[in-house]
Amino acid sequence: IRHEGGQVSQLQVMEAESGRASLVSGLTTLRMNMTNLRMQLENMLGEKITGTIAVGTLPRVTSEQLAAIDLEKDLNMVLRRSPSVQAAEDQESSLYFSGMSSLGGDIWDGMSSAADYGVKNAKLQAEMNFRSLYAELMDCRQVLTAAQGALEVEQLAYQAAELKFHQGAISKNVLLTAADELQ
């Protein structure tokens, strides 16, 4: 309609059509990827692989819950409950209770050192993984705070555009652009 009214050129119409074709193609690829991810999830859960599993929403984490995180206390709990640490400790315990200490000398010392090293390594890996996850959580927290601020600004911008539209100061196209920005 805008082309027929002389507001846009044929080239601009072709660019818009090309952009739409790219968006449709991207949407098709996105849908295929979502189906593949659903099938992978179904496979991990031992379900029939159909690609139709429905994924619920994640629970919201409150500011109070984030503030309650105590890195050192939580790290100690992780180290006590870590399956890899427990497996290394069990292996070390079974070595001591196996009666192999009667071997004595260098053989026993080597086996004992290896078991100790296994426990220390498992604890170190669990600690590194937990600290990395904690740092990622704190980064996500600040990203969320920034995104919430940006959302508030966009909501205000949309409200202003809506008011201007109702006053006749802007076109519906500008209002729709503001709605897109808000979304």
Side-chain angles (χ1 to χ4, degrees), residues 86-98:
Q86 288 176 355
E89 288 174 341
D90 290 347
Q91 190 174 14
E92 183 182 42
S93 295
S94 67
L95 176 67
Y96 287 111
F97 291 116
S98 68

Side-chain angles (χ1 to χ4, degrees), residues 57-79:
T57 58
L58 293 173
R60 295 222 179 248
V61 178
T62 65
S63 297
E64 293 80 23
Q65 289 170 320
L66 287 173
I69 294 174
D70 180 341
L71 176 63
E72 296 306 319
K73 183 181 108 194
D74 294 339
L75 176 60
N76 288 330
M77 181 197 60
V78 165
L79 292 176

Side-chain angles (χ1 to χ4, degrees), residues 35-126:
T35 300
N36 287 340
L37 290 170
R38 284 186 182 112
M39 289 190 300
Q40 289 176 12
L41 180 59
E42 289 166 343
N43 185 41
M44 285 189 280
L45 295 173
E47 300 287 329
K48 184 177 178 183
I49 300 174
T50 62
T52 59
I53 192 169
V55 181
T57 58
L58 293 173
R60 295 222 179 248
V61 178
T62 65
S63 297
E64 293 80 23
Q65 289 170 320
L66 287 173
I69 294 174
D70 180 341
L71 176 63
E72 296 306 319
K73 183 181 108 194
D74 294 339
L75 176 60
N76 288 330
M77 181 197 60
V78 165
L79 292 176
R80 284 192 314 271
R81 294 184 179 179
S82 168
S84 59
V85 171
Q86 288 176 355
E89 288 174 341
D90 290 347
Q91 190 174 14
E92 183 182 42
S93 295
S94 67
L95 176 67
Y96 287 111
F97 291 116
S98 68
M100 297 186 88
S101 60
S102 62
L103 294 174
D106 292 339
I107 296 174
W108 172 252
D109 290 343
M111 292 173 70
S112 176
S113 294
D116 288 342
Y117 175 77
V119 171
K120 288 177 185 173
N121 187 47
K123 286 182 177 181
L124 181 61
Q125 287 296 320

